Amino acid sequence: MAVPEAIAVKWTEEVAGYVDTRPVVRQTFTLRQLVDMILATTGKDPTRVGEILRSGTCTYNVYRYWWDGFALQESALATLLAEFPDPDPGRPFRGEACLSARLLDASTPVPHHVTIEKTAASARRWFRRQSFWDFLLDFAASKQLAYLDYSYYHHADLYRLPLSVADRRLLLAQAHRLARAPLRALLTRAADWVVLDLACRR
């Protein structure tokens, strides 16, 4: 079966446990767009990507997508996947490319987390010359960040910093001082933040 240049895809919100009557949306994807979405759920795993293309269904975020399944030759799939970035542990952290940050606490088995978006954290409080985002980037630049992975979901390289007790105290104090009310409420709730992750666009 020849791979179509335009792939008709249907999608709807995935609701578990009962019959749902939410509307079905129809959309046309290119092969690259479809694979880009699949990579966000599988990572760059040729076997899994090939299986999903053949199965004709994929769950992404809270939506289920389906299409007429098709097979790609291994060489064609390898050529296509080569167009997408690979993890690069030698890539230095660049604050200007940072899109978001995430704080994780010590909860087990699943840590609680708060995502800090650049747009929200860049808003300055009245009479403050620095935003919380400015502080966060300066803080990260002063530390030794570890390269974590490349995220196909975020289209970004991920960096990680374990937080010391002193780091946590500083983050909390600066959140009180610099973050605007909605973000401040998220950051200062009683959570023991132990890890800071940052996502930087490639």
Side-chain angles (χ1 to χ4, degrees):
M1 175 181 175
V3 178
E5 294 183 6
I7 302 163
V9 177
K10 299 176 183 177
W11 56 274
T12 190
E13 191 168 355
E14 182 90 329
V15 178
Y18 59 90
V19 176
D20 187 44
T21 57
R22 295 170 193 259
V24 172
V25 180
R26 291 168 173 80
Q27 187 174 349
T28 300
F29 282 41
T30 65
L31 177 59
R32 196 181 194 286
Q33 288 172 329
L34 184 60
V35 169
D36 182 57
M37 180 180 68
I38 294 171
L39 287 174
T41 68
T42 66
K44 196 183 276 190
D45 181 337
T47 301
R48 284 291 297 134
V49 173
E51 289 173 351
I52 291 174
L53 288 173
R54 287 192 299 273
S55 72
T57 185
C58 176
T59 299
Y60 175 73
N61 285 337
V62 295
Y63 300 97
R64 184 171 65 86
Y65 295 77
W66 67 98
W67 58 92
D68 291 334
F70 57 87
L72 274 185
Q73 292 185 348
E74 288 186 12
S75 58
L77 180 56
T79 298
L80 180 58
L81 291 180
E83 298 178 10
F84 293 88
D86 289 306
D88 181 4
R91 192 175 186 85
F93 173 77
R94 296 186 304 117
E96 66 274 15
C98 197
L99 302 169
S100 64
R102 187 172 70 163
L103 287 165
L104 291 83
D105 71 10
S107 302
T108 56
V110 180
H112 172 71
H113 71 269
V114 166
T115 297
I116 306 167
E117 299 292 348
K118 178 179 179 179
T119 302
S122 294
R124 286 185 296 177
R125 296 180 66 183
W126 281 35
F127 309 117
R128 301 293 186 190
R129 294 185 177 183
Q130 187 184 40
S131 69
F132 184 73
W133 187 255
D134 294 332
F135 156 74
L136 200 62
L137 292 187
D138 289 344
F139 172 76
S142 72
K143 301 290 185 177
Q144 291 293 323
L145 298 172
Y147 185 90
L148 190 61
D149 202 357
Y150 181 83
S151 168
Y152 296 97
Y153 181 86
H154 295 97
H155 299 103
D157 293 284
L158 304 181
Y159 298 82
R160 172 161 289 184
L161 174 67
L163 298 173
S164 67
V165 173
D167 291 334
R168 295 197 292 273
R169 287 174 179 165
L170 178 60
L171 282 169
L172 184 61
Q174 294 297 336
H176 276 293
R177 189 174 76 88
L178 298 173
R180 298 187 73 173
L183 179 60
R184 185 166 67 249
L186 286 175
L187 296 176
T188 59
R189 66 177 50 172
D192 184 18
W193 307 122
V194 293
V195 171
L196 172 66
D197 288 342
L198 298 115
C200 296
R201 186 180 296 279
R202 178 71 62 92

